[in-house]
């Protein structure tokens, strides 16, 4: 899928050097297309398999959330780049308010590159944080979600990177503060992003 989208042979051995050496303009232009998701026609498993898997874990009858066609979102975050969203809650986008998030590692996911979250922040009232308006520009990049800057008592946000090993998944509430995950490792992080809603 990535080889097709970037028009260059990409595999497990060369992906890191390809993405590290790619210009920001080319990378972000291509990623705008890729953010629409990977169709299940590219994947070795079905929509039903994914929905049954999530339903069994959470004990609810769930469906995968998608906009146009059933697909999985792919995230690629290069080392020491600005390829990531700032800290935010997904509830700021109405269509994501009731969707459970799932982070699924593919390549380059480790203790220095995994998705950061702020434990217990899904219990915090909105009044405890200070955030920007919708679609802020951070480091020259426009984002679709407001960025949470700090706590209202002026103390900093302290996000943690849970260790998510290959074959594992991290599921969390859309009210939980997450993001701001600068990749401080030497490997490009590739992961799936899924969201589920009750059928």
């Amino acid at each position: 899928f990535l080889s097709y989208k970037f028009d260059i042979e990409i595999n497990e051995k060369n992906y890191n050097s390809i993405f590290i050496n790619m210009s920001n303009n080319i990378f972000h232009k291509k990623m705008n297309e890729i953010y629409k998701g990977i169709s299940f026609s590219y994947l070795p498993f079905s929509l039903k398999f994914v929905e049954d898997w999530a339903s069994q874990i959470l004990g609810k009858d769930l469906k995968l959330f998608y906009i146009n066609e059933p697909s999985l979102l792919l995230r690629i975050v290069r080392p020491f780049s600005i390829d990531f969203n700032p800290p935010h809650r997904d509830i700021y986008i109405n269509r994501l308010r009731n969707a459970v998030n799932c982070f699924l590692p593919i390549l380059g996911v480790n203790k220095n590159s995994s998705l950061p979250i702020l434990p217990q922040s899904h219990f915090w009232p909105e009044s405890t944080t200070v955030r920007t308006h919708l679609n802020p520009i951070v480091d020259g990049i426009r984002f679709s979600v407001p960025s949470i800057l700090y706590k209202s008592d002026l103390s900093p946000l302290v996000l943690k990177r849970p260790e998510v090993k290959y074959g594992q998944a991290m599921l969390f509430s859309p009210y939980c503060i997450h993001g701001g995950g600068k990749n401080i490792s030497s490997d490009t992080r590739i992961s799936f992003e899924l969201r589920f809603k009750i059928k």
Side-chain angles (χ1 to χ4, degrees), residues 16-183:
N16 195 38
S17 62
I18 286 175
F19 287 125
I20 287 174
N21 293 310
M22 189 175 290
S23 75
N24 282 337
N25 286 341
I26 292 174
F27 178 81
H28 288 292
K29 181 179 179 182
K30 293 291 186 181
M31 287 309 296
N32 280 336
E33 302 171 17
I34 291 172
Y35 284 151
K36 297 173 184 174
I38 300 178
S39 166
F40 278 88
S41 62
Y42 281 97
L43 300 169
F45 45 82
S46 67
L47 172 62
K48 183 180 184 305
F49 174 84
V50 171
E51 291 180 336
D52 288 349
W53 167 79
S55 297
Q56 184 177 12
I57 290 173
L58 295 176
K60 303 279 186 183
D61 193 11
L62 301 177
K63 62 181 179 180
L64 181 70
F65 172 77
Y66 54 88
I67 295 176
N68 295 318
E69 64 172 323
S71 60
L72 302 186
L73 300 181
L74 188 69
R75 294 291 184 241
I76 301 177
V77 181
R78 297 168 297 169
F80 298 95
S81 68
I82 51 173
D83 301 338
F84 56 91
N85 279 327
H88 65 281
R89 287 172 158 153
D90 283 355
I91 58 165
Y92 301 142
I93 300 176
N94 282 334
R95 66 178 182 271
L96 304 180
R97 183 172 288 273
N98 297 311
V100 173
N101 291 354
C102 177
F103 170 80
L104 193 63
I106 300 175
L107 288 169
V109 178
N110 54 55
K111 64 181 181 180
N112 293 317
S113 67
S114 186
L115 176 69
I117 63 171
L118 209 165
Q120 305 299 316
S121 60
H122 55 298
F123 293 120
W124 296 3
E126 243 343 78
S127 60
T128 61
T129 61
V130 175
R131 62 183 171 93
T132 67
H133 53 81
L134 194 64
N135 304 122
I137 297 176
V138 180
D139 293 331
I141 302 291
R142 183 176 294 279
F143 294 96
S144 58
V145 289
S147 172
I148 299 176
L149 304 173
Y150 42 81
K151 295 178 74 174
S152 54
D153 63 4
L154 303 183
S155 61
L157 302 174
V158 182
L159 286 84
K160 297 183 178 180
R161 294 185 192 265
E163 185 179 1
V164 187
K165 298 177 181 177
Y166 297 109
Q168 295 181 330
M170 177 170 66
L171 293 103
F172 58 95
S173 165
Y175 287 80
C176 185
I177 297 172
H178 62 286
K182 179 173 278 192
N183 181 351

